[in-house]
Coordinates of all heavy atoms in Angstrom, one line a residue:
M21 N 97.1 117.8 68.3 CA 97.2 116.4 68.2 C 98.5 116.0 67.4 O 98.5 115.6 66.2 CB 96.0 115.8 67.5 CG 94.8 115.9 68.3 SD 93.4 114.9 67.7 CE 93.4 115.4 65.9
Q22 N 99.6 116.2 68.0 CA 100.9 116.0 67.4 C 101.2 114.5 67.0 O 102.0 114.2 66.2 CB 102.0 116.5 68.3 CG 101.9 118.0 68.5 CD 103.0 118.5 69.4 OE1 103.9 117.7 69.8 NE2 103.0 119.8 69.7
L23 N 100.5 113.6 67.7 CA 100.8 112.2 67.5 C 99.7 111.4 66.8 O 99.7 110.2 66.8 CB 101.1 111.5 68.9 CG 102.3 112.1 69.6 CD1 102.5 111.5 70.9 CD2 103.6 111.9 68.7
E24 N 98.8 112.1 66.1 CA 97.7 111.5 65.4 C 98.3 110.5 64.4 O 99.3 110.8 63.7 CB 96.9 112.5 64.7 CG 95.7 112.0 64.0 CD 94.8 113.1 63.4 OE1 95.3 114.2 63.3 OE2 93.7 112.8 63.1
N25 N 97.7 109.3 64.3 CA 98.1 108.2 63.5 C 99.4 107.6 63.8 O 100.0 106.8 63.1 CB 98.2 108.7 62.0 CG 96.8 109.1 61.5 OD1 95.8 108.5 61.8 ND2 96.8 110.2 60.8
K26 N 100.0 107.9 65.0 CA 101.2 107.2 65.5 C 100.8 106.0 66.3 O 99.9 106.1 67.1 CB 102.1 108.1 66.3 CG 102.6 109.3 65.5 CD 103.5 108.8 64.3 CE 104.0 109.9 63.5 NZ 104.7 109.5 62.3
R27 N 101.5 104.9 66.2 CA 101.2 103.6 66.9 C 102.3 103.4 67.9 O 103.4 103.1 67.5 CB 101.0 102.5 65.9 CG 100.0 102.8 64.8 CD 100.1 102.1 63.6 NE 101.4 102.4 62.9 CZ 101.8 101.9 61.8 NH1 101.0 101.1 61.1 NH2 103.0 102.2 61.3
I28 N 101.9 103.4 69.2 CA 103.0 103.4 70.2 C 102.7 102.4 71.3 O 101.5 102.2 71.7 CB 103.0 104.8 70.9 CG1 103.3 105.9 69.8 CG2 104.1 104.8 72.0 CD1 103.3 107.3 70.3
V29 N 103.7 101.6 71.6 CA 103.6 100.6 72.7 C 104.3 101.2 73.9 O 105.4 101.7 73.8 CB 104.3 99.3 72.4 CG1 104.3 98.3 73.6 CG2 103.6 98.6 71.2
V30 N 103.6 101.2 75.1 CA 104.2 101.6 76.4 C 104.4 100.4 77.3 O 103.4 99.7 77.6 CB 103.3 102.7 77.0 CG1 103.9 103.1 78.4 CG2 103.1 103.9 76.1
V31 N 105.6 100.2 77.7 CA 105.9 99.2 78.7 C 105.8 99.8 80.1 O 106.5 100.8 80.3 CB 107.2 98.5 78.4 CG1 107.6 97.5 79.5 CG2 107.2 97.9 77.0
G32 N 105.1 99.2 81.0 CA 105.0 99.8 82.3 C 103.9 100.9 82.4 O 104.1 101.8 83.2
G33 N 102.8 100.7 81.7 CA 101.8 101.8 81.7 C 100.8 101.8 82.8 O 99.8 102.6 82.7
A34 N 101.0 100.9 83.8 CA 99.9 100.8 84.8 C 100.1 101.9 86.0 O 99.1 102.1 86.7 CB 99.9 99.4 85.4
S35 N 101.2 102.5 86.1 CA 101.4 103.4 87.2 C 102.6 104.4 86.9 O 103.3 104.2 86.0 CB 101.8 102.6 88.5 OG 103.0 101.9 88.4
G36 N 102.6 105.4 87.8 CA 103.7 106.3 87.7 C 103.9 107.0 86.4 O 102.9 107.4 85.7
M37 N 105.2 107.2 86.0 CA 105.5 107.9 84.7 C 104.9 107.1 83.5 O 104.5 107.8 82.5 CB 107.0 108.0 84.6 CG 107.6 109.0 85.5 SD 109.4 109.0 85.5 CE 109.8 109.0 83.8
G38 N 104.8 105.8 83.6 CA 104.3 105.1 82.4 C 102.8 105.4 82.3 O 102.3 105.6 81.1
A39 N 102.0 105.4 83.4 CA 100.6 105.8 83.3 C 100.4 107.2 82.8 O 99.5 107.4 81.9 CB 100.0 105.6 84.7
E40 N 101.2 108.1 83.2 CA 101.0 109.5 82.7 C 101.4 109.6 81.3 O 100.8 110.3 80.5 CB 101.8 110.5 83.6 CG 101.5 111.9 83.2 CD 100.1 112.3 83.3 OE1 99.3 111.8 84.2 OE2 99.6 113.1 82.5
T41 N 102.4 108.8 80.8 CA 102.7 108.8 79.4 C 101.6 108.3 78.6 O 101.3 108.8 77.5 CB 104.0 107.9 79.2 OG1 105.1 108.5 80.0 CG2 104.4 107.8 77.8
V42 N 100.9 107.2 79.0 CA 99.8 106.7 78.3 C 98.7 107.7 78.2 O 98.1 107.9 77.1 CB 99.2 105.4 79.0 CG1 97.9 105.0 78.5 CG2 100.2 104.3 78.9
R43 N 98.4 108.4 79.3 CA 97.4 109.5 79.3 C 97.8 110.6 78.2 O 96.9 111.0 77.5 CB 97.2 110.1 80.6 CG 96.6 109.2 81.6 CD 96.4 109.8 83.0 NE 96.1 108.9 84.0 CZ 96.9 108.4 84.9 NH1 98.2 108.8 85.0 NH2 96.5 107.5 85.8
E44 N 99.0 111.0 78.3 CA 99.4 112.1 77.4 C 99.4 111.7 75.9 O 99.0 112.4 75.0 CB 100.8 112.6 77.8 CG 101.2 113.9 77.1 CD 100.3 115.1 77.3 OE1 99.6 115.1 78.3 OE2 100.2 115.9 76.3
L45 N 99.8 110.5 75.7 CA 99.8 110.0 74.3 C 98.4 109.9 73.7 O 98.1 110.3 72.6 CB 100.4 108.6 74.2 CG 102.0 108.5 74.5 CD1 102.4 107.1 74.6 CD2 102.7 109.3 73.4
A46 N 97.4 109.5 74.6 CA 96.0 109.5 74.2 C 95.5 110.9 73.9 O 94.8 111.2 72.9 CB 95.2 108.8 75.2
R47 N 95.9 111.9 74.8 CA 95.5 113.3 74.6 C 96.1 113.8 73.2 O 95.4 114.6 72.6 CB 96.1 114.2 75.7 CG 95.3 114.1 77.0 CD 95.9 115.1 78.0 NE 95.5 114.7 79.3 CZ 96.3 114.2 80.3 NH1 97.6 113.9 80.0 NH2 95.9 113.9 81.5
E48 N 97.2 113.3 72.9 CA 97.9 113.8 71.6 C 97.5 113.0 70.4 O 98.0 113.3 69.3 CB 99.4 113.8 71.8 CG 99.9 114.8 72.8 CD 99.6 116.3 72.3 OE1 99.6 116.5 71.1 OE2 99.4 117.1 73.1
G49 N 96.5 112.1 70.5 CA 95.9 111.4 69.4 C 96.6 110.1 69.0 O 96.2 109.5 67.9
A50 N 97.5 109.6 69.7 CA 98.2 108.3 69.4 C 97.3 107.1 69.6 O 96.3 107.2 70.4 CB 99.4 108.2 70.2
T51 N 97.6 106.1 68.9 CA 97.0 104.8 69.1 C 98.0 104.0 70.0 O 99.1 103.8 69.6 CB 96.7 104.0 67.8 OG1 95.9 104.7 67.0 CG2 96.1 102.6 68.1
V52 N 97.5 103.7 71.2 CA 98.5 103.2 72.2 C 98.1 101.8 72.7 O 96.9 101.5 72.9 CB 98.5 104.1 73.5 CG1 99.4 103.6 74.5 CG2 98.8 105.5 73.1
V53 N 99.1 100.9 72.8 CA 99.0 99.6 73.5 C 99.8 99.8 74.7 O 101.0 100.0 74.7 CB 99.4 98.4 72.7 CG1 99.5 97.2 73.5 CG2 98.5 98.2 71.5
S54 N 99.1 99.8 75.9 CA 99.8 99.9 77.2 C 100.0 98.5 77.8 O 99.1 97.7 77.7 CB 98.9 100.8 78.1 OG 99.5 100.8 79.4
T55 N 101.2 98.3 78.3 CA 101.4 96.9 78.8 C 102.0 97.0 80.2 O 102.6 98.0 80.6 CB 102.5 96.2 78.0 OG1 103.8 96.8 78.1 CG2 102.1 96.1 76.5
D56 N 101.7 96.0 81.0 CA 102.2 96.0 82.4 C 101.8 94.6 83.0 O 101.0 93.9 82.5 CB 101.6 97.1 83.3 CG 102.5 97.5 84.4 OD1 102.6 96.6 85.3 OD2 103.0 98.6 84.4
I57 N 102.5 94.3 84.1 CA 102.2 93.0 84.8 C 101.0 93.3 85.8 O 100.3 92.3 86.2 CB 103.4 92.5 85.6 CG1 103.2 91.1 86.0 CG2 103.8 93.4 86.7 CD1 104.5 90.4 86.5
Q58 N 100.7 94.5 86.1 CA 99.6 94.9 87.0 C 98.3 95.0 86.2 O 98.1 96.1 85.6 CB 99.9 96.2 87.7 CG 101.2 96.2 88.5 CD 101.5 97.5 89.1 OE1 100.7 98.0 89.9 NE2 102.6 98.1 88.7
V59 N 97.6 94.0 86.1 CA 96.4 93.9 85.2 C 95.3 94.9 85.6 O 94.9 95.7 84.8 CB 95.8 92.5 85.2 CG1 94.6 92.5 84.3 CG2 96.9 91.5 84.7
A60 N 94.8 94.9 86.9 CA 93.7 95.8 87.3 C 94.1 97.3 87.1 O 93.4 98.1 86.5 CB 93.3 95.5 88.7
A61 N 95.3 97.7 87.5 CA 95.7 99.0 87.4 C 95.9 99.4 85.9 O 95.6 100.5 85.5 CB 97.0 99.3 88.2
G62 N 96.5 98.5 85.2 CA 96.7 98.7 83.7 C 95.4 98.9 83.0 O 95.3 99.8 82.1
E63 N 94.4 98.1 83.3 CA 93.1 98.3 82.6 C 92.5 99.6 83.0 O 91.8 100.2 82.2 CB 92.2 97.1 82.9 CG 92.7 95.8 82.3 CD 91.9 94.6 82.7 OE1 91.2 94.6 83.7 OE2 92.0 93.6 82.0
A64 N 92.6 100.0 84.3 CA 92.0 101.2 84.8 C 92.6 102.4 84.1 O 91.9 103.3 83.6 CB 92.1 101.3 86.3
V65 N 94.0 102.4 84.0 CA 94.6 103.6 83.3 C 94.3 103.6 81.8 O 94.0 104.7 81.3 CB 96.2 103.4 83.5 CG1 96.9 104.4 82.6 CG2 96.6 103.6 84.9
A66 N 94.2 102.5 81.2 CA 93.9 102.4 79.8 C 92.5 103.0 79.5 O 92.2 103.7 78.6 CB 94.0 101.0 79.2
S67 N 91.5 102.6 80.4 CA 90.2 103.0 80.3 C 90.1 104.5 80.5 O 89.4 105.2 79.7 CB 89.3 102.3 81.3 OG 88.0 102.8 81.2
E68 N 90.7 105.0 81.5 CA 90.7 106.5 81.8 C 91.4 107.2 80.7 O 90.9 108.3 80.2 CB 91.5 106.7 83.1 CG 91.7 108.2 83.4 CD 92.8 108.4 84.5 OE1 93.2 107.4 85.2 OE2 93.3 109.5 84.6
A69 N 92.5 106.8 80.2 CA 93.2 107.5 79.1 C 92.4 107.5 77.8 O 92.4 108.5 77.1 CB 94.6 106.8 78.9
A70 N 91.7 106.4 77.5 CA 90.9 106.4 76.3 C 89.8 107.4 76.3 O 89.5 108.0 75.3 CB 90.3 105.0 76.1
K71 N 89.3 107.7 77.5 CA 88.3 108.8 77.6 C 88.9 110.2 77.4 O 88.1 111.1 77.1 CB 87.6 108.7 79.0 CG 86.8 107.4 79.2 CD 86.3 107.3 80.6 CE 85.6 105.9 80.8 NZ 85.2 105.7 82.2
L72 N 90.2 110.3 77.6 CA 90.8 111.6 77.4 C 91.0 111.9 75.9 O 91.0 113.1 75.6 CB 92.2 111.7 78.1 CG 92.2 111.5 79.6 CD1 93.6 111.3 80.1 CD2 91.5 112.6 80.3
G73 N 91.0 110.9 75.1 CA 91.1 110.9 73.7 C 91.7 112.2 73.1 O 92.0 113.1 73.9
P74 N 91.8 112.4 71.9 CA 91.1 111.6 70.8 C 91.8 110.3 70.5 O 91.3 109.5 69.6 CB 91.2 112.6 69.6 CG 92.5 113.3 69.8 CD 92.5 113.5 71.3
G75 N 93.0 110.0 71.0 CA 93.7 108.8 70.8 C 92.9 107.6 71.4 O 92.0 107.8 72.1
S76 N 93.4 106.4 71.1 CA 92.8 105.2 71.6 C 93.8 104.4 72.4 O 95.0 104.5 72.1 CB 92.2 104.3 70.5 OG 93.2 103.8 69.7
V77 N 93.4 103.7 73.4 CA 94.3 102.9 74.3 C 93.7 101.5 74.5 O 92.6 101.4 74.8 CB 94.5 103.6 75.7 CG1 95.5 102.8 76.5 CG2 95.0 105.0 75.5
T78 N 94.6 100.5 74.4 CA 94.3 99.1 74.7 C 95.3 98.7 75.7 O 96.5 99.0 75.6 CB 94.4 98.3 73.4 OG1 93.5 98.8 72.4 CG2 94.1 96.8 73.7
F79 N 94.9 97.8 76.6 CA 95.8 97.3 77.6 C 96.1 95.8 77.3 O 95.2 95.1 77.0 CB 95.3 97.4 79.0 CG 96.2 96.7 80.0 CD1 97.3 97.3 80.5 CD2 95.9 95.5 80.5 CE1 98.2 96.7 81.4 CE2 96.7 94.8 81.5 CZ 97.9 95.5 81.9
M80 N 97.3 95.4 77.4 CA 97.7 94.0 77.3 C 98.7 93.7 78.5 O 99.6 94.4 78.8 CB 98.5 93.7 76.0 CG 97.6 93.9 74.8 SD 98.5 93.5 73.3 CE 97.3 93.9 72.0
T81 N 98.4 92.5 79.1 CA 99.3 92.1 80.2 C 100.6 91.6 79.6 O 100.7 90.9 78.6 CB 98.6 90.9 80.9 OG1 97.3 91.2 81.3 CG2 99.4 90.4 82.1
L82 N 101.7 92.1 80.3 CA 103.0 91.7 79.8 C 104.0 91.6 81.0 O 104.1 92.5 81.8 CB 103.6 92.8 78.8 CG 105.0 92.6 78.4 CD1 105.2 91.3 77.7 CD2 105.4 93.8 77.5
D83 N 104.7 90.5 81.1 CA 105.7 90.3 82.0 C 107.0 90.3 81.2 O 107.3 89.3 80.5 CB 105.6 89.0 82.8 CG 106.6 88.7 83.8 OD1 107.7 89.4 83.8 OD2 106.4 87.8 84.7
V84 N 107.8 91.4 81.2 CA 108.9 91.5 80.4 C 110.1 90.6 80.8 O 111.1 90.4 80.0 CB 109.5 93.0 80.3 CG1 108.5 93.9 79.7 CG2 109.9 93.5 81.7
R85 N 109.9 89.9 81.9 CA 110.9 88.9 82.3 C 110.8 87.6 81.5 O 111.7 86.8 81.5 CB 110.8 88.6 83.8 CG 111.0 89.8 84.7 CD 110.7 89.5 86.1 NE 109.3 89.2 86.2 CZ 108.6 88.9 87.3 NH1 109.3 88.9 88.5 NH2 107.3 88.7 87.3
K86 N 109.7 87.5 80.7 CA 109.5 86.3 80.0 C 109.5 86.6 78.5 O 108.6 87.2 77.9 CB 108.1 85.7 80.3 CG 108.0 85.3 81.8 CD 106.7 84.8 82.2 CE 106.6 84.4 83.7 NZ 105.3 84.0 84.1
Q87 N 110.6 86.1 77.8 CA 110.8 86.4 76.4 C 109.6 86.0 75.5 O 109.2 86.7 74.6 CB 112.0 85.8 75.9 CG 112.3 86.1 74.4 CD 112.6 87.6 74.2 OE1 113.5 88.2 74.9 NE2 112.0 88.2 73.2
A88 N 109.0 84.8 75.9 CA 107.9 84.4 75.1 C 106.7 85.3 75.2 O 106.0 85.6 74.2 CB 107.4 83.0 75.5
D89 N 106.4 85.9 76.4 CA 105.4 86.9 76.6 C 105.7 88.1 75.7 O 104.7 88.7 75.1 CB 105.3 87.3 78.0 CG 104.6 86.2 78.9 OD1 104.3 85.1 78.4 OD2 104.4 86.5 80.1
V90 N 106.9 88.6 75.7 CA 107.3 89.8 75.0 C 107.0 89.5 73.5 O 106.4 90.4 72.8 CB 108.7 90.1 75.2 CG1 109.2 91.3 74.2 CG2 109.0 90.5 76.6
N91 N 107.4 88.4 73.0 CA 107.1 88.1 71.6 C 105.7 88.1 71.2 O 105.2 88.6 70.2 CB 107.8 86.7 71.2 CG 109.3 86.7 71.3 OD1 109.9 87.8 71.3 ND2 109.8 85.5 71.4
V92 N 104.8 87.4 72.1 CA 103.4 87.3 71.8 C 102.7 88.7 71.9 O 101.9 89.1 71.0 CB 102.7 86.3 72.8 CG1 101.2 86.4 72.8 CG2 103.2 84.9 72.5
V93 N 103.0 89.5 72.9 CA 102.4 90.8 73.1 C 102.8 91.7 72.0 O 101.9 92.4 71.4 CB 102.7 91.4 74.5 CG1 102.2 92.8 74.6 CG2 102.0 90.5 75.5
F94 N 104.0 91.8 71.6 CA 104.5 92.7 70.5 C 103.9 92.3 69.2 O 103.5 93.1 68.4 CB 106.0 92.9 70.5 CG 106.4 93.9 71.4 CD1 106.6 93.7 72.8 CD2 106.7 95.2 71.0 CE1 106.9 94.7 73.7 CE2 107.1 96.2 71.8 CZ 107.2 95.9 73.2
A95 N 103.8 91.0 68.9 CA 103.2 90.5 67.7 C 101.7 90.9 67.7 O 101.1 91.4 66.7 CB 103.3 89.0 67.6
A96 N 101.0 90.8 68.8 CA 99.6 91.1 68.9 C 99.4 92.6 68.8 O 98.4 93.1 68.1 CB 99.0 90.6 70.2
A97 N 100.3 93.4 69.4 CA 100.2 94.9 69.3 C 100.4 95.3 67.8 O 99.7 96.2 67.3 CB 101.2 95.5 70.2
H98 N 101.4 94.7 67.2 CA 101.7 95.0 65.8 C 100.5 94.7 64.9 O 100.1 95.5 64.1 CB 102.9 94.2 65.3 CG 103.3 94.5 63.9 ND1 102.8 93.9 62.8 CD2 104.3 95.4 63.5 CE1 103.4 94.4 61.8 NE2 104.3 95.3 62.1
E99 N 99.9 93.6 65.1 CA 98.7 93.2 64.3 C 97.5 94.1 64.6 O 96.8 94.5 63.7 CB 98.3 91.7 64.6 CG 97.0 91.4 63.9 CD 97.0 89.9 63.4 OE1 98.1 89.3 63.3 OE2 95.9 89.5 63.1
K100 N 97.2 94.4 65.9 CA 96.1 95.2 66.3 C 96.2 96.6 65.7 O 95.2 97.2 65.2 CB 96.0 95.3 67.8 CG 94.9 96.3 68.2 CD 94.6 96.2 69.7 CE 93.5 97.0 70.1 NZ 92.3 96.9 69.4
M101 N 97.4 97.2 65.7 CA 97.6 98.6 65.3 C 98.1 98.7 63.8 O 98.1 99.8 63.3 CB 98.6 99.3 66.2 CG 98.2 99.4 67.6 SD 99.2 100.5 68.6 CE 100.7 99.6 68.7
G102 N 98.4 97.6 63.2 CA 98.9 97.6 61.8 C 100.3 98.1 61.7 O 100.8 98.6 60.7
G103 N 101.1 98.0 62.8 CA 102.5 98.4 62.9 C 102.8 99.0 64.2 O 101.9 99.3 65.0
I104 N 104.0 99.3 64.4 CA 104.4 100.0 65.6 C 105.4 101.1 65.2 O 106.4 100.8 64.5 CB 105.1 99.1 66.6 CG1 104.1 98.0 67.1 CG2 105.7 99.8 67.8 CD1 104.7 96.9 67.9
D105 N 105.1 102.3 65.6 CA 106.0 103.5 65.2 C 107.0 103.8 66.3 O 108.1 104.3 66.1 CB 105.2 104.7 65.0 CG 104.3 104.5 63.7 OD1 104.8 104.2 62.7 OD2 103.1 104.7 63.9
A106 N 106.6 103.5 67.6 CA 107.5 103.9 68.7 C 107.3 103.0 69.9 O 106.2 102.4 70.1 CB 107.3 105.3 69.1
L107 N 108.3 102.8 70.7 CA 108.2 102.1 72.0 C 108.7 103.0 73.1 O 109.7 103.7 73.0 CB 109.2 100.9 71.9 CG 109.4 100.2 73.2 CD1 108.2 99.5 73.8 CD2 110.5 99.1 73.0
V108 N 107.8 103.1 74.2 CA 108.2 103.8 75.4 C 108.5 102.8 76.4 O 107.6 102.0 76.8 CB 107.1 104.8 75.8 CG1 107.5 105.5 77.1 CG2 106.8 105.8 74.7
N109 N 109.7 102.7 76.9 CA 110.1 101.6 77.8 C 110.7 102.3 79.0 O 111.6 103.1 79.0 CB 111.1 100.7 77.1 CG 111.4 99.5 77.9 OD1 110.8 99.2 78.9 ND2 112.4 98.8 77.5

């Protein structure tokens, strides 16, 4: 568990490399907020990754084309996790 107690936000966590990154971060013990515009897929990946644990995963909808959305989601992620140690984009 190399990432235990690390708080990480993943942008694009609903599919492809982003989804696998979310899974691996959870396996390594990180607290993860996964974000994407694809809500159903993002929620499914977050749920699956959380079961891989010991890390935890939460999904938040994010459209990075909208600055206001970015501000709201990052503020919420910061509050939920008590800070952010890393961003995977």
